[in-house]
């Protein structure tokens, strides 16, 4: 069979989600996620203006060939915009392959390695008491692993507008029309507060809870070494992005100085780049993003590569990628041998009425049903005519008004 149509589909459901829809000559439909937070329309242009022409008329079964045709065949390879568009196409083609075979993705990829997969959720709080209280709520609802975040502000700048909470719940919807708010990120406060907060959480929540923290590369390498060492007694599941993803020397230093496990990867867009991170075992967990890394095809290769180097997966699963992407992550979580943990920032209330999914989360574990393909259905009528709301991540600034890494 061949590809009859490829289109971008704007499918807002609490966020600006963009999908790729592929239709075959015999009427099968596949959906993939192509959402790039704050750059959505750039991806739409790539899909509709550049990728469609490369795909229509081709045999939809040959995913590897089509992936190469887009990635290598047109010279301009890589980068978040192109790789997000390619990811959407790739996921849609795997969705079709599963539907044609009558098999769920996890089965196509080799079958289950486990019955259910450990998930982690986000908790944000203003201070340790709030973090502990909110974590207890999540634990009571069954979760066993928590990523905690808090605001680190210069106390002399109480007019802080930016808060890290935006990142967890609504980053994609912050309007920037009035210019940047004054920022007050304060690294010194952050570096001195983080270990105490982690220790207090560990003591209050008990030894079995998985505690995760995302540094977002906001501090220097030596600050990260200090933090990673001081966090050791808190026994984190991992510390995420303690240094910029491309600063392999800084990551090597952090690893040589501390036993705190490290996870990096959401800003890698290509297999070539992330290989070195894995080969040199600079991370315990690799966490590229299914929607920005070119989709299932390269993700499976990375998982196998990482397995050979005893690195586990902790793939990026933020709220700014759509249900088909979260579904793929769930399928991978069941089938990948070296699975570690899966980030799950879902908004099922916002999804309902637009998306249905065969992924379930119970007792803090992910499972996936037998629905063929990705197991995600889209009610296109519910989003027909929906308007794109221009939005992007807020800019983080320090007390001098200088831009600080987000
Ligand atoms: O759009 C940016 C978010 O996806 C990112 O800030 C979330 O770092 C993140 C994480 O680990 O979930
Ligand atoms: Mg992160």
């Amino acid at each position: 069979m061949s590809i009859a149509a490829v289109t971008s589909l704007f499918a807002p459901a609490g966020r600006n989600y963009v999908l790729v829809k592929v239709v075959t000559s015999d009427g099968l439909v596949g959906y993939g996620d192509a959402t790039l937070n704050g750059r959505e329309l750039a991806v739409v242009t790539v899909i509709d203006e550049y990728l469609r022409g490369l795909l229509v008329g081709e045999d939809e079964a040959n995913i590897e060939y089509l992936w190469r045709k887009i990635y290598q065949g047109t010279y301009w390879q890589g980068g978040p915009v192109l790789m997000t568009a390619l990811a959407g196409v790739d996921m849609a083609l795997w969705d079709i392959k599963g539907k044609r075979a009558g098999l769920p993705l996890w089965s196509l990829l080799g079958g289950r390695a486990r019955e259910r997969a450990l998930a982690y959720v986000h908790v944000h709080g203003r201070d340790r008491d709030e973090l502990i209280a909110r974590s207890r709520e999540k634990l009571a609802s069954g979760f066993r692993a928590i990523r905690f975040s808090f605001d680190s502000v210069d106390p002399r700048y109480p007019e802080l507008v930016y808060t890290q909470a935006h990142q967890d719940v609504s980053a994609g919807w912050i309007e920037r029309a009035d210019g940047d708010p004054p920022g007050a990120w304060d690294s010194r406060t952050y570096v001195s507060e983080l270990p105490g907060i982690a220790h207090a959480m560990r003591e209050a929540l008990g030894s079995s809870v998985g505690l995760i923290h995302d540094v977002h590369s906001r501090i220097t390498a030596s600050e990260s070494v200090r933090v990673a060492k001081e966090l050791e007694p808190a026994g984190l599941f991992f510390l995420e992005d303690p240094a910029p993803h491309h600063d392999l020397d800084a990551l090597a230093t952090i690893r040589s100085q501390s036993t705190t496990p490290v996870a990096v990867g959401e800003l890698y867009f290509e297999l070539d780049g992330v290989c070195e991170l894995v080969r040199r075992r600079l991370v315990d967990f690799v966490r590229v993003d299914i929607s920005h890394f070119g989709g299932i095809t390269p993700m499976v290769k990375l998982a196998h590569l990482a397995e050979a180097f005893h690195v586990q997966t902790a793939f990026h699963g933020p709220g700014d990628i759509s249900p088909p992407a979260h579904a793929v992550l769930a399928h991978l979580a069941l089938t990948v041998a070296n699975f570690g943990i899966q980030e799950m920032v879902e908004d099922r209330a916002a999804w309902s009425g637009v998306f249905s999914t065969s992924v379930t989360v119970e007792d803090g574990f992910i499972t996936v049903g037998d629905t063929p393909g990705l197991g995600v259905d889209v009610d296109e009528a519910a989003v027909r005519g929906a308007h794109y709301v221009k939005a992007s991540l807020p800019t983080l600034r320090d007390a001098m008004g200088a831009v600080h890494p987000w």
Side-chain angles (χ1 to χ4, degrees), residues 147 214 216 240-241 266 287 316:
R147 185 197 91 158
D214 188 351
H216 254 272
E240 181 185 341
D241 286 338
E266 67 187 58
R287 47 182 289 99
H316 195 217

Side-chain angles (χ1 to χ4, degrees), residues 48-66:
D48 293 337
E49 299 296 326
Y50 302 108
L51 302 194
R52 176 183 296 147
L54 297 171
L55 294 165
V56 171
E58 292 279 10
D59 182 344
E60 104 266 344
N62 298 327
I63 300 177
E64 185 69 44
Y65 169 78
L66 295 174

Side-chain angles (χ1 to χ4, degrees), residues 25-44:
S25 50
D26 61 340
L28 282 183
V29 175
Y31 295 105
D33 179 52
T35 308
L36 181 59
N37 193 10
R39 298 287 182 275
E40 295 86 356
L41 299 185
V43 181
V44 164

